[in-house]
Amino acid sequence: MEGLWLQVAAASPPAFQEIGKKQGIPGDVLYALALTESGRALKGRRQIVPWPWTLNIAGKSHYYNSKKAACSALKQAVEDGKQVDAGFMQVNWYHNGRHMVKAPCDLLSPWKNITLGARILARERRENGGSLFRAIGTYHTGSENTPERAKRAMRYRLRVAKHYSSLKKK
C-alpha cells in the first residue's frame, strides 16, 4: 500500500454516480474500484485519485501525463501482443476492450472507460448470482476456480473495501 498517510479524494465524482445508476452499481463502489485500479498520489498533495491515463502493461503499472502519451504506449503494447489494462477502470484490451470499443485508445476516454468498467462489473454481478461482493473479486481475477485465485479475489475485495470505507467517512 502507498501508506496510511494518503487520503482518498472526497466523495465520488458525479460521472461515477450517473454511470453506476445506469448499470445498477453504486457510484461509490465504482469509484472505490477505480481508486484501487488506477489510484495515483498527486505530487505535493496527500490525496490519491483515479488516473485516466494509467496502463498496466504485462503486469507493470505506468502513469502517463497525457492521453496522447498513453494512447501511443497502448497501441504499441497491443501491437506487441502484450496484456494491457487501460484507464480509470483498467479495462483489459484482450478480454473485454476489443469486444467493446473500435480502437484501443477508445479505452482512454474517461466516460467510456467508467461505463465499460461498470458494464463489466454488472455482468460479473449477474454471473455471481447478484452478489456485488463476489463480482468485485471476479472483476479483478476473472474466476475463483483455484484456491490461489480465490485468495487474490479476496485480497482485491479488501483493497476496494478500504477505499470504499474512506469515501463513507467523509
Side-chain angles (χ1 to χ4, degrees):
M1 256 328 170
E2 297 282 335
L4 297 177
W5 62 271
L6 290 174
Q7 296 176 340
V8 172
S12 58
F16 288 87
Q17 296 297 329
E18 187 176 332
I19 292 167
K21 186 175 182 179
K22 287 179 183 174
Q23 295 297 327
I25 302 292
D28 287 346
V29 170
L30 275 183
Y31 191 63
L33 201 72
L35 285 164
T36 304
E37 289 288 340
S38 66
R40 177 182 191 187
L42 299 177
K43 287 184 179 181
R45 296 177 67 189
R46 293 177 45 167
Q47 183 179 57
I48 58 172
V49 295
W51 194 250
W53 305 301
T54 302
L55 300 179
N56 184 304
I57 302 170
K60 186 171 184 212
S61 295
H62 302 269
Y63 298 92
Y64 296 90
N65 290 325
S66 70
K67 183 177 181 178
K68 183 178 179 180
C71 181
S72 177
L74 176 56
K75 286 193 280 190
Q76 187 63 55
V78 168
E79 187 178 304
D80 293 345
K82 294 182 179 176
Q83 282 289 333
V84 60
D85 303 326
F88 280 133
M89 306 299 288
Q90 292 293 278
V91 175
N92 182 277
W93 169 251
Y94 180 77
H95 292 291
N96 292 295
R98 67 190 176 124
H99 306 293
M100 300 173 130
V101 295
K102 291 179 182 178
C105 292
D106 292 345
L107 294 175
L108 297 172
S109 162
W111 188 271
K112 185 172 289 286
N113 191 276
I114 298 165
T115 299
L116 295 177
R119 284 176 51 200
I120 294 164
L121 186 59
R123 180 190 68 212
E124 292 297 326
R125 187 180 198 178
R126 284 189 304 276
E127 291 176 2
N128 281 286
S131 170
L132 186 56
F133 177 77
R134 288 192 53 95
I136 289 168
T138 57
Y139 180 94
H140 179 68
T141 61
S143 74
E144 297 182 65
N145 58 356
T146 67
E148 180 53 37
R149 289 176 78 90
K151 285 179 194 172
R152 283 181 53 214
M154 183 55 75
R155 284 191 303 266
Y156 183 78
R157 287 183 191 106
L158 293 173
R159 289 174 53 213
V160 172
K162 183 177 179 180
H163 287 301
Y164 181 79
S165 251
S166 296
L167 292 170
K168 292 301 171 189
K169 289 179 186 174
K170 300 200 185 256

